[in-house]
Amino acid sequence: MMPINLAVQNFSLTSLSGEVQVVKFVNALLEVAVKERASDVHIEPLEKMTRVRLRVDGFLCTAVEVPRNVHNAIVSRIKIISGMDIAEKRLPQDGRVQLEVFERKVDLRISTLPVINGEKVVIRILDKSQTLLELENLDFTKGNLEIYKRLINLPHGIILLTGPTGSGKSTTLYATLQKLNSVTKNIITIEDPIERTIDGINQIAVNTKAGLTFATGLRSIVRQDPNIIMVGEIRDAETARIAVQAALTGHLVFSTLHTNSAVGAVTRLLDIGIEPFLLAAALRGVVAQRLVRRICIDCQKQYETSEMELTALGCDTCESFKLNKGSGCENCNHTGYKGRIAVQEVLEITPVLQKAIIQGAEENVLLKLASDAHFTSLSDDCREKVLTGKTSVEELMRIAYC
């Protein structure tokens, strides 16, 4: 992957001296990050220099390296704009600020961490100017979309989205809430933090310092006559129990969990103490999701598949066929990829699975029962998107082992 070019900015990267130059550098860095569609900026103090990297389409790439002696000035500038204590360098800090970059409102969530050579800074970029995606534009296959739409239109129960950080769970949740939003429904969310605002929905931000956690907030929400509740994340047994109780008393509850698969969400909730018969009665469905890189449409070309790729695709035939790949161009920073698409597995809790959950079936048994009912796994969904030219075998292999 080629480094991202910062040389177009009107300052010297080798001699950042003076407050004005540092301010210009930070401003230019944020502009480049937004332009390159970066989700995060990493500013890392190394022994001999400071390295700045951007996370673009899930992968870190070097943007620039600057002299080590200006690191503290850069960190101080970032602390000032985000409301942190510039004198405190021994403890981690968190801050946030909203800026306008290229006439686009961006929300920056900033975290500092003391490491061996100084303070490491990570800036999470949330572009609030981007419109919310429609459910139909979230790359669900036709079959998975039909199942998911059926689940979200149920009158009550829990629907979970699972996957690692940065797998698009929040995007799917917001698209879902937007789809369900109407004047006839009372929708309330509790989030940490609120990433996007939706007109007509009551959104609450977690405030742990004031005692407002997911659990305490959820207890209050159920007394607000809600139809639909969205809990940003189930982090503990107390939140899980209240969410289950809310679902059993006639509410439709959405939330997220950090598990590797849809079936894994079932065993995770059982492990944290939810009774099997309660979980079976409350849980309606689980969506596991990942993001894979999309092949750049400006430089895509066809090529003959290798034997190893045929094996990865599960093809029985020995005959090679053509797939798409990106050859690399300026529009994709010579990576062959630009943007990302989602791959999903949608698990509907059928009566057969409910019975297995009550009986304490292990994860592999639940997966076998789901597969018998034509459940499409993450790998299968990604494989279909490789065959339709949206992503590559390389991305399929990455998903298979994550």
Side-chain angles (χ1 to χ4, degrees):
M1 182 182 292
M2 293 183 65
I4 291 173
N5 182 21
L6 274 177
V8 295
Q9 309 304 331
N10 296 319
F11 55 83
S12 170
L13 294 175
T14 57
S15 58
L16 283 174
S17 59
E19 184 180 343
V20 174
Q21 283 289 80
V22 170
V23 170
K24 285 182 178 180
F25 172 78
V26 172
N27 291 346
L29 176 60
L30 294 175
E31 287 177 1
V32 170
V34 171
K35 181 182 176 182
E36 295 288 339
R37 304 172 293 104
S39 61
D40 301 86
V41 180
H42 291 242
I43 301 171
E44 304 163 307
L46 305 182
E47 187 176 352
K48 296 182 179 178
M49 51 83 179
T50 288
R51 178 176 64 185
V52 179
R53 295 190 290 173
L54 306 182
R55 188 177 293 279
V56 180
D57 293 336
F59 285 77
L60 284 170
C61 49
T62 299
V64 67
E65 294 174 354
V66 296
R68 182 69 181 81
N69 62 350
V70 298
H71 178 81
N72 289 341
I74 293 170
V75 174
S76 293
R77 173 59 186 167
I78 293 169
K79 284 182 174 181
I80 288 169
I81 65 174
S82 59
M84 295 187 205
D85 182 357
I86 63 171
E88 180 56 76
K89 299 180 180 181
R90 299 165 301 172
L91 297 173
Q93 293 188 68
D94 293 303
R96 63 185 305 172
V97 63
Q98 191 173 96
L99 300 175
E100 194 166 294
V101 181
F102 299 129
E103 300 182 349
R104 292 153 63 179
K105 286 185 179 179
V106 294
D107 195 18
L108 307 180
R109 288 156 49 188
I110 301 163
S111 169
T112 66
L113 182 71
V115 294
I116 192 168
N117 292 309
E119 288 182 280
K120 182 181 188 298
V121 179
V122 174
I123 304 172
R124 167 63 59 89
I125 301 173
L126 300 171
D127 189 347
K128 293 197 167 185
S129 67
Q130 292 181 344
T131 56
L132 285 172
L133 294 174
E134 300 287 335
L135 264 186
E136 290 75 12
N137 297 328
L138 292 182
D139 306 300
F140 280 99
T141 59
K142 183 179 178 181
N144 279 343
L145 184 60
E146 287 176 359
I147 297 170
Y148 188 60
K149 281 185 173 180
R150 183 165 67 246
L151 291 172
I152 67 174
N153 283 292
L154 293 172
H156 52 80
I158 293 181
I159 297 168
L160 296 173
L161 277 84
T162 76
T165 300
S167 58
K169 299 187 297 296
S170 294
T171 299
T172 301
L173 273 179
Y174 282 124
T176 303
L177 294 179
Q178 182 173 252
K179 184 82 171 178
L180 297 174
N181 191 15
S182 81
V183 294
T184 64
K185 294 174 182 173
N186 179 19
I187 303 176
I188 307 179
T189 76
I190 181 161
E191 308 168 55
D192 184 22
I194 296 171
E195 295 183 10
R196 301 294 295 270
T197 56
I198 306 176
D199 265 353
I201 291 180
N202 305 283
Q203 295 173 266
I204 305 166
V206 165
N207 186 343
T208 51
K209 289 182 180 178
L212 179 57
T213 63
F214 280 120
T216 57
L218 188 50
R219 286 186 188 279
S220 298
I221 287 172
V222 295
R223 295 193 290 269
Q224 287 282 313
D225 186 33
N227 299 102
I228 298 170
I229 301 168
M230 190 273 270
V231 184
E233 184 182 343
I234 292 178
R235 295 177 178 171
D236 52 55
E238 184 182 8
T239 306
R241 281 193 292 269
I242 302 168
V244 167
Q245 195 59 43
L248 293 173
T249 52
H251 306 95
L252 185 60
V253 181
F254 292 92
S255 192
T256 69
L257 270 178
H258 290 287
T259 63
N260 292 327
S261 65
V263 171
V266 176
T267 53
R268 174 68 57 81
L269 289 172
L270 293 173
D271 288 343
I272 65 175
I274 303 300
E275 293 289 344
F277 69 94
L278 292 177
L279 183 60
L283 189 61
R284 292 290 177 266
V286 186
V287 178
Q289 185 168 296
R290 299 287 190 282
L291 294 178
V292 295
R293 292 179 293 176
R294 183 192 296 272
I295 293 171
C296 177
I297 60 174
D298 295 311
C299 62
Q300 67 179 2
K301 63 180 183 181
Q302 291 195 320
Y303 72 101
E304 292 288 333
T305 52
S306 67
E307 186 176 337
M308 182 187 71
E309 289 173 322
L310 288 171
T311 302
L313 290 167
C315 296
D316 296 329
T317 175
C318 292
E319 294 183 10
S320 178
F321 54 87
K322 291 186 177 181
L323 289 175
N324 284 354
K325 71 175 180 179
S327 57
C329 64
E330 288 188 2
N331 288 331
C332 62
N333 197 33
H334 300 278
T335 62
Y337 300 97
K338 187 171 184 180
R340 290 187 287 179
I341 61 173
V343 294
Q344 301 102 346
E345 58 184 28
V346 182
L347 177 68
E348 184 174 15
I349 305 300
T350 61
V352 171
L353 283 172
Q354 284 180 325
K355 184 178 179 181
I357 292 170
I358 293 170
Q359 293 173 344
E362 294 184 355
E363 190 171 323
N364 61 336
V365 175
L366 295 173
L367 183 58
K368 174 66 168 58
L369 292 172
S371 300
D372 290 343
H374 308 293
F375 166 73
T376 302
S377 69
L378 281 168
S379 294
D380 289 340
D381 190 58
C382 190
R383 192 172 290 113
E384 182 175 335
K385 286 162 183 171
V386 171
L387 295 173
T388 54
K390 294 178 180 178
T391 190
S392 66
V393 177
E394 177 188 13
E395 290 295 279
L396 169 62
M397 297 297 289
R398 185 169 64 86
I399 285 299
Y401 295 105
C402 71

